[in-house]
Amino acid sequence: MRACALASLVLAAPLAVGAQAAPQATQTVAAPGGVANGARLQMRWELVRNEYTPAFREGRAQARMILTNRDSQPLPASGWTLYFNSMDGVVTGSLPSKVRLEQVAGNLYRMRPDPGFPGLAPGQTVNVDYTHPQAIIKMARAPLGPYLVYDAAPDTAVAISDFALLPVTRPEQLDKGPVPGHPTITTADTYRNNSHADRLPAASVPPVLPTPLHLEKGKGMLRLAKMPTVTAGASLAGEAALARSLFPAQLAKGGPALRLAVGKVEGQSSPEAYSLTVQGSGKDSGIAIVGNSPAGVAYGLQTLRDLLPLPGAATLALPEVRIVDAPRFPYRGFQLDVGRNFHTKETVFKWLDLMARYKLNKFHFHLTEDEGWRLEIAGLPELTSIGAVRGHSAKPGVRLQPAYGSGPDPADPHGSGYYTRADYIDILRYAAARHIEVIPEIEMPGHARAAVQAMEARYHRLKAAGDPDAAKYLLNDFDDKSVYKSPQLYNDHVLNPGLESSFTFVQHVVNEVVALHREAGVPLRTIHMGGDELPNGAWEQSPLARATMARLNLESTADLWDYFYERVDGMLRAHGLYTSGWEELAARKTQLHGRNKLIPNPRFTRNGFTAWVWNNTEGAEDLAYRLANAGYDIVLAPVTKMYMDMAYNANPEEPGMNWGAYIELQDTYDFIPFDYLKNAGDAARIGKDGLTDYGKRRVRGLEATLFTETLRDPAGIDYLVMPRLLAVAERAWAADPAWALEADAAKAAALHRTAWSGFVNALGQRVLPRLDLDKAGVAYRIAPPGLLVEGDKVLVNHVLPGMTLRYTTDGSAPTAASRLVDGPITERGVIQVAAFDRNGRAGLVSRIERR
């Protein structure tokens, strides 16, 4: 799911974590001896410059922490430590400012005064200049969550609340190096990109999204002066309730018939197929929806929602229409990671509602990570009392360390939190009512630090109490001297298959997840068993792992991997489940010309594994196709097209990550599932496998994937996921558009412009305005407008035609009361333009000066 090249860092001793039944509150109190406390220490962070040299061709960053003492007492010359998170690390060691940077574990770092540090008098400032091992383009790589701890009170952590990142505007800060490809996007660039679509009149905007298989318009209208009369069988009670919710509640009863039924949709074998007929007059007047299953009926109702006029329209009427529809792929997914940062049950409900609205049917629930275990498991309370709690502690056996800026307080609602058994059952039932399958993910053998730490603490607690079963669920070999580092900078986060207790743990967790689904009355077909990013070097110097390899006559840790997943697969099969995981589950590590390479693993092709394939980066563009051609069922989740945590572009103000790609809305829309490299050129296709006819049958579908390293609040999720999720929904449901199949480049370009224009006009004029007017609470990204100076005027456009554009000329930010853009802007001044949604919410501002 993630791959980053990371520079080597000096490791300090890991921060011990462990078990305690309930989190202790972290106090914010005056520092010992009356010296300055952290609440009065101001911290600013500045990107000084990115620099590129022959030794650092990919770049590194020179940065500065600016510490100012706002207290009336000095910060002493010694006896304190400042902690912070840095996602991709910093270069450790002593600095000219007489402080030392050290890695604690993972992305937690600390700053300590060296001998000779003079202290910090009231009002005094010190600049701490240091180095990041990579160029910094996205501000997610800056330090986060700083806090201060005094040696005299090591369990008392003081958050530095007066903390901010300074603006990134200078050329040396924006430098992206000599390699072209991802420059800063100007307002003129945006204008030119937006010009790839045409503004369509309302009558020409596609009426349904995702695009249905067959739509035939009639000539008349069905007037809806009264509430439609819904008729449905007992098995469609939920769909009948959904049908009634589509219409204004104040309508009087007695309107036209709205008939819902399960029956055969002619010519369609998919259980999710439906037909929808709107007839304005005659004996069959009204609305009829027939689905091959209740799910098909539900999708027909979502299409009916699309056909209705926007809320508040003067006249409520439907066009006559006949639709026969079915999805292209049976798997249309969205993954939400709640391990890196926790998100509430209510946030999950919101995204399940949005999935249902756009006909997505698989919710991949990423429940466990290095930084958090988020599901209550009966019999293993430490998984949540420790593994679901992040915060500072000087003592072992208390909680996980801060990560991703969660800070020292264990009550932080994003670093800490989990779903109780009752919460999880609620989520299962909520999803099932919307015909969405929940696929829980339990990460292993890597990405498992929360579990490893929790079970180690459990072991120490029970061993001290004399319990002979203390090691029953232990996951790590205390004598393991293996040298490895994960992309997230951990070296202590891996389940060890040399311990029988590791398998006891996995079996227990699988049993409990199965039991939760049984209690909910919701079928469980698979558990996603991780498999991602086991670091090279893991297990190699573990005496217990090596003893297991010798006992089983295994040649390498790659064979030990196979042994591990053979046993895990057996556990799932015993419950009638099939095994799912990331691409490494279906692959085998080997080398080609001295470089690491993944090839299809012949061992598991007959086990029925399904692999989620994210890696389509350089050199692995065809990995998904090679796995499918080899006989594995796959889900396409390509990082360069469908990772929703990637930033839209390289501009500093755009949030998100950039290790895999920058992904604009069109990048997602342009994805061709069966031909990744159609537009890549002949050179890029050399040596790459295409998808065979046999392989095509192994592609189960597509998934939009969201990891939450940078996402601590629901609005941040909204911004990165929407509206890109709508492009994923289109690609997963609808057949290949004509432009994707056209061999002639000029004809393909013309067909693409027509289709892209329809898509963005549907979003700007109908789909997103409906979300606004429905008060769905979705703070989707409103992109900055494009601006282009042409002669004596400024041309303005937007990626979503139909959005309201407003401007100012005095340098102030536009508001919902600012002047409308109704053509070229001819005024001079500091012109600022923003787009607004139907509720008056502004997007990013574009700025240009014309004096």
Side-chain angles (χ1 to χ4, degrees), residues 384 410 566 626 668 706 727 829:
T384 47
E566 281 280 14
R626 288 189 282 119
T668 304
L706 182 74

Side-chain angles (χ1 to χ4, degrees), residues 446-467:
H447 286 276
R449 191 172 192 261
V452 170
Q453 297 282 323
M455 292 301 95
E456 180 177 337
R458 179 185 187 277
Y459 164 79
H460 288 306
R461 176 177 62 83
L462 294 180
K463 186 173 185 292
D467 190 323

Side-chain angles (χ1 to χ4, degrees), residues 585-661:
L585 206 67
R588 184 176 177 88
K589 285 185 178 180
T590 185
Q591 289 199 330
L592 178 64
H593 305 310
R595 299 182 63 183
N596 293 327
K597 185 177 180 63
L598 291 176
I599 62 171
N601 189 339
R603 182 160 180 169
F604 295 132
T605 54
R606 298 185 183 276
N607 290 49
F609 285 9
T610 296
W612 276 246
V613 186
W614 63 265
N615 191 359
N616 69 324
T617 59
E618 185 177 356
E621 297 93 337
D622 62 343
L623 177 59
Y625 295 169
R626 288 189 282 119
L627 292 175
N629 292 343
Y632 284 103
D633 285 350
I634 64 166
V635 173
L636 299 174
V639 63
T640 67
K641 300 293 184 179
M642 295 189 179
Y643 260 44
M644 302 287 102
D645 46 304
M646 295 296 118
Y648 285 86
N649 58 52
N651 290 5
E653 67 271 17
E654 286 289 356
M657 303 290 286
N658 69 339
W659 62 264

Side-chain angles (χ1 to χ4, degrees), residues 321-370:
V321 69
R322 164 73 174 168
I323 294 173
V324 175
D325 200 7
R328 178 184 189 183
F329 292 113
Y331 190 106
R332 306 177 304 283
F334 173 60
Q335 184 222 251
L336 177 64
D337 159 32
V338 295
R340 271 57 175 264
N341 278 304
F342 182 69
H343 295 278
T344 65
K345 180 172 69 172
E346 289 69 31
T347 296
V348 174
F349 287 168
K350 168 181 165 179
W351 285 98
L352 290 171
D353 283 335
L354 288 168
M355 288 176 66
R357 184 180 280 232
Y358 303 114
K359 303 184 177 81
L360 300 173
N361 66 346
K362 309 292 183 183
F363 179 56
H364 178 177
F365 206 2
H366 191 88
L367 288 163
T368 72
E369 257 304 335
D370 290 319

Side-chain angles (χ1 to χ4, degrees), residues 407-534:
D409 189 353
D412 176 80
H414 311 291
S416 300
Y418 67 92
Y419 307 104
T420 66
R421 290 171 56 85
D423 288 336
Y424 186 69
I425 288 169
D426 287 346
I427 290 168
L428 292 179
R429 290 173 175 166
Y430 197 91
R434 288 151 182 78
H435 307 286
I436 294 170
E437 178 186 357
V438 175
I439 300 173
E441 180 179 354
I442 309 297
E443 263 283 22
M444 62 184 72
H447 286 276
R449 191 172 192 261
V452 170
Q453 297 282 323
M455 292 301 95
E456 180 177 337
R458 179 185 187 277
Y459 164 79
H460 288 306
R461 176 177 62 83
L462 294 180
K463 186 173 185 292
D467 190 323
D469 289 331
K472 183 177 181 180
Y473 297 107
L474 190 64
L475 302 176
N476 54 319
D477 177 1
F478 294 135
D479 295 322
D480 189 354
K481 305 300 182 185
S482 300
V483 178
Y484 64 86
K485 188 186 300 176
S486 77
Q488 293 75 28
L489 309 181
Y490 293 110
N491 63 353
D492 59 352
H493 72 308
V494 173
L495 273 68
N496 192 316
L499 285 75
E500 187 60 29
S501 51
S502 291
F503 297 103
T504 304
F505 172 83
V506 175
Q507 182 70 74
H508 183 92
V509 171
V510 167
N511 291 348
E512 290 302 316
V513 172
V514 169
L516 282 167
H517 281 252
R518 186 182 304 116
E519 184 176 344
V522 174
L524 179 65
R525 298 177 179 87
T526 187
I527 302 176
H528 192 294
M529 302 303 290
D532 185 59
E533 291 183 328
L534 180 70

Side-chain angles (χ1 to χ4, degrees), residues 51-60 178:
E51 58 184 23
Y52 304 84
T53 68
F56 298 96
R57 293 183 182 279
E58 299 299 322
R60 63 179 180 176

